[in-house]
Amino acid sequence: MPQLRLALNQIDSTVGDLAANAEAIVHWTRHAAEQGAHVVAFPEMVLTGYPVEDLALRPSFVEASRTAVRALAGRLAEEGFGELPVVVGYLDRSESAQPRYGQPAGAPRNAAAVLHRGAVVLNFAKHHLPNYGVFDEFRYFVPGDTMPVIRVHGVDIALAICEDLWQDGGRVPAARSAEAGLLLSINASPYEREKDDTRLDLVRKRAQEAGCTTAYLAMIGGQDELVFDGDSIVVDKDGEVVARAPQFAEGCVVLDLELPAASPEAPDGVVDDGLRIDRVILSEDPLPAYEPELTGGYAERLDDAEEVYSALVVGLRAYAAKNGFRSVLIGLSGGIDSALVAAIACDAVGAQNVYGVSMPSKYSSGHSRDDAAELARRTGLNFRTHPIEPMFDAYMGALGLTGLAEENLQSRLRGTMLMALSNQEGHIVLAPGNKSELAVGYSTLYGDSVGAYGPIKDVYKTSVFRLARWRNGVAEERGQTPPIPETSISKPPSAELRPGQVDTDSLPDYDVLDRILELYVDRDQGRDAIVAAGFDAELVARTLRMVDTAEYKRRQYPPGTKISAKGFGKDRRLPITNRWREHTS
């Protein structure tokens, strides 16, 4: 059978930075060429970054992308890689679509191009457009209607983009009809917990349906709230794994494949789902036989806690770096949330670039002050203390606040201090709120919700404790100092805004609360279904009431890393003004 050496470049890119993204493509193509690759592939929309959102509707950006892909083809040829086919994702537009209601202006396309000998020899657009969760691709793109195939050294390679594999029909059965020897899919599939198992099952299934070896190339890195975990996979036609790339690591998977020879009578015309085969022959003759040397390898999977923690680190690191921030500022209360955020920040940007501020009030316990200082000592972050009591007394003298207003004033004074230091010193503020608190509104607007980014925004409180214990355990295994003081983990959570306050004064036990929230928030279960799952009806009604009435707060919370199937943000979009209540239906 013919042989091919395939290079899958699992790399990061930055939305809108066409020049830097193109430079990265050239760099990794050079690396692949040095490894003797015969075909090189890059992720979905790697040239523009992903997702581009409403930039897709801006004609100037679309044309810049189209110009950049042509220039990239020329650059690759100038660098001596003209004979090497390179598959690159980019933003294009349809040349033939007519403007009509319901179609995005300008008919943009989530597209890919095959670059060869200094030119774009084939381009195509994603056929299946996802329109769920964080995806709005019906808003942005028009679908492709071809089955692209390139013949390289006597092997027919069918090409697809991300959702073309996730949905039934379309290019997968069309690849079988086209008698392809390899199905290559380029992807920018965002991370979710446990998605690696789902992804592997999907690729195995699609390889069997396509009847050929299938390569699933994924992006890594972060873009706003999304994290991309890589985990590129190659399986044979029977669904057996041939190679698997690491999670959360940039790199190039290079492997030798033996693939069926292209048929001299390979079909043309229209095949499954009305897709028209668009075949370009780049090289007809198979390569002289050689001894396969490269297998691509198999990277071991991360366990669940390490996977989630890695996603949080990558998300924060990408957000800071891509937005030009070099340092972060955190209010350190001595509690578990700010402690975990500080540990993540130290791992993401380096302890020398993390600044912690303790802002005690008269209600702050001595052990909380000590825990904040101990956290700083353990991690090596920059630490200082600024009591808020003088400012608090001034406000109370002027306004005479009581009750909840008095409690929230303390939080807002801390938020004001953090933003003042941010302005003065150039750090971005990290908001420490977790998903449980955001769900039920247990946060203070313009207080503990202040920040540019919320690293644990999509992490339930029970998982906060689990991740903290995991991070400390990893440090112990490595002979390092655990970053989080044990007392921050073991003591009852408290906002410490009044004497003796603990979270359970206002909230159910977090173990119970989080299980209810997962059903209501993540799975969209209604009151009756949650009660039927074994939860107390009155507790469910109370919890759902808190969630429903806190929507206005969540809308004003900063972005944060998404790790679940449904985070607060693009995933879950509910009206603020809304009188529908599950608990009264």
Side-chain angles (χ1 to χ4, degrees):
M1 286 197 294
Q3 296 170 288
L4 277 180
R5 183 166 290 178
L6 176 66
L8 304 174
N9 290 285
Q10 179 174 287
I11 69 169
D12 189 11
S13 63
T14 301
V15 167
D17 198 346
L18 299 175
N21 296 339
E23 197 64 40
I25 293 168
V26 173
H27 167 80
W28 286 102
T29 299
R30 182 181 299 111
H31 173 77
E34 290 169 352
Q35 301 296 309
H38 305 127
V39 178
V40 180
F42 290 90
E44 176 181 8
M45 296 192 79
V46 66
L47 186 57
T48 56
Y50 182 89
V52 297
E53 299 184 306
D54 276 17
L55 285 174
L57 306 179
R58 192 173 296 177
S60 58
F61 186 64
V62 177
E63 288 309 310
S65 172
R66 285 160 56 88
T67 300
V69 79
R70 293 191 296 268
L72 177 61
R75 168 86 183 278
L76 290 172
E78 291 170 4
E79 295 271 342
F81 311 126
E83 294 300 318
L84 184 58
V86 179
V87 183
V88 174
Y90 73 112
L91 176 64
D92 199 358
R93 61 173 169 79
S94 173
E95 301 286 2
S96 58
Q98 298 298 314
R100 65 174 186 271
Y101 288 116
Q103 176 177 287
R109 305 197 313 173
N110 179 338
V114 179
L115 312 182
H116 190 240
R117 295 181 179 174
V120 175
V121 295
L122 175 69
N123 61 15
F124 62 98
K126 184 188 288 191
H127 176 61
H128 288 304
L129 298 178
N131 209 49
Y132 55 86
V134 300
F135 304 107
D136 291 310
E137 297 210 358
F138 275 115
R139 171 183 173 88
Y140 297 123
F141 305 121
V142 295
D145 58 3
T146 64
M147 178 65 252
V149 179
I150 55 172
R151 184 168 297 174
V152 181
H153 297 303
V155 176
D156 275 351
I157 304 174
L159 302 171
I161 302 176
C162 202
E163 196 72 11
D164 293 340
L165 260 65
W166 287 91
Q167 297 295 326
D168 292 334
R171 286 190 171 132
V172 172
R176 177 183 284 272
S177 297
E179 300 181 9
L182 172 67
L183 173 58
L184 170 60
S185 178
I186 62 173
N187 310 272
S189 179
Y191 169 78
E192 293 172 10
R193 286 194 319 265
E194 301 175 354
K195 192 175 184 179
D196 57 331
D197 295 331
T198 303
R199 186 183 290 138
L200 177 58
D201 290 341
L202 171 79
V203 178
R204 282 174 161 162
K205 178 183 177 183
R206 296 311 188 209
Q208 292 167 331
E209 291 172 351
C212 63
T213 296
T214 298
Y216 181 98
L217 167 60
M219 181 179 284
I220 67 101
Q223 169 62 28
D224 294 345
E225 294 187 303
L226 300 183
V227 173
F228 304 95
D229 60 321
D231 189 28
S232 299
I233 304 168
V234 181
V235 303
D236 66 19
K237 63 183 180 63
D238 298 317
E240 294 299 316
V241 177
V242 176
R244 195 164 187 186
Q247 297 168 278
F248 304 107
E250 190 168 57
C252 180
V253 175
V254 184
L255 70 162
D256 289 311
L257 297 170
E258 290 190 354
L259 301 166
S263 169
E265 299 177 357
D268 286 312
V270 176
V271 288
D272 303 75
D273 279 10
L275 295 173
R276 173 180 51 81
I277 295 176
D278 189 3
R279 181 181 284 103
V280 174
I281 298 174
L282 301 181
S283 47
E284 188 76 75
D285 296 331
L287 292 161
Y290 64 90
E291 189 66 30
E293 298 176 351
L294 303 177
T295 63
Y298 186 94
E300 291 301 318
R301 303 297 89 198
L302 305 179
D303 64 33
D304 290 344
E306 184 176 8
E307 184 183 278
V308 169
Y309 190 87
S310 298
L312 298 175
V313 169
V314 169
L316 174 56
R317 180 185 295 141
Y319 188 86
K322 292 183 177 183
N323 287 287
F325 300 112
R326 302 174 64 180
S327 56
V328 300
L329 179 66
I330 309 169
L332 296 180
S333 67
I336 187 64
D337 293 326
S338 62
L340 179 61
V341 168
I344 292 168
C346 288
D347 290 335
V349 301
Q352 72 277 13
N353 297 312
V354 178
Y355 293 78
V357 185
S358 173
M359 298 169 285
S361 74
K362 63 182 180 181
Y363 300 123
S364 299
S365 62
H367 63 74
S368 290
R369 301 183 194 202
D370 292 344
D371 287 344
E374 177 64 10
L375 172 76
R377 185 192 70 78
R378 288 167 173 251
T379 59
L381 60 79
N382 304 282
F383 182 69
R384 71 189 104 171
T385 299
H386 288 298
I388 63 168
E389 201 161 346
M391 292 180 286
F392 179 75
D393 290 343
Y395 269 85
M396 290 298 292
L399 299 175
L401 303 177
T402 60
L404 187 61
E406 178 184 359
E407 292 182 26
N408 286 343
L409 173 62
Q410 298 166 69
S411 181
R412 291 187 175 118
L413 288 172
R414 290 176 175 130
T416 298
M417 185 177 294
L418 288 170
M419 290 310 303
L421 292 173
S422 171
N423 289 158
Q424 181 70 24
E425 300 175 4
H427 321 298
I428 58 167
V429 177
L430 301 183
N434 62 68
K435 191 172 186 177
S436 305
E437 295 171 348
L438 293 179
V440 298
Y442 195 62
S443 62
T444 303
L445 275 179
Y446 324 119
D448 53 347
S449 65
V450 157
Y453 200 74
I456 60 171
K457 175 183 180 179
D458 199 26
V459 182
Y460 284 120
K461 187 77 168 190
T462 48
S463 293
V464 170
F465 284 104
R466 186 161 53 250
L467 291 172
R469 292 189 182 97
W470 174 86
R471 182 63 183 85
N472 276 3
V474 168
E476 289 175 350
E477 290 173 4
R478 296 172 179 171
Q480 302 169 345
T481 301
I484 300 173
E486 180 57 34
T487 46
S488 291
I489 300 174
S490 60
K491 66 187 175 187
S494 171
E496 294 193 330
L497 299 176
R498 64 173 183 268
Q501 183 184 37
V502 292
D503 288 4
T504 49
D505 294 341
S506 305
L507 301 176
D509 179 80
Y510 278 116
D511 181 60
V512 176
L513 175 65
D514 287 354
R515 285 185 286 141
I516 294 174
L517 293 176
E518 186 174 356
L519 292 172
Y520 189 49
V521 174
D522 295 20
R523 303 186 189 180
D524 285 317
Q525 297 293 305
R527 173 189 176 279
D528 293 344
I530 298 173
V531 172
F535 295 94
D536 177 76
E538 184 177 341
L539 177 60
V540 171
R542 177 186 163 212
T543 301
L544 270 53
R545 186 180 304 112
M546 288 191 290
V547 174
D548 291 346
T549 55
E551 190 63 37
Y552 77 100
K553 284 189 177 183
R554 287 190 293 273
R555 194 69 67 90
Q556 299 179 66
Y557 202 81
T561 306
K562 166 185 156 63
I563 62 162
S564 72
K566 183 165 285 191
F568 290 125
K570 294 180 183 178
D571 282 319
R572 189 176 187 271
R573 311 176 204 183
L574 291 174
I576 295 174
T577 305
N578 172 23
R579 292 189 178 181
W580 167 255
R581 294 291 182 263
E582 285 280 347
H583 46 82
T584 58
S585 61

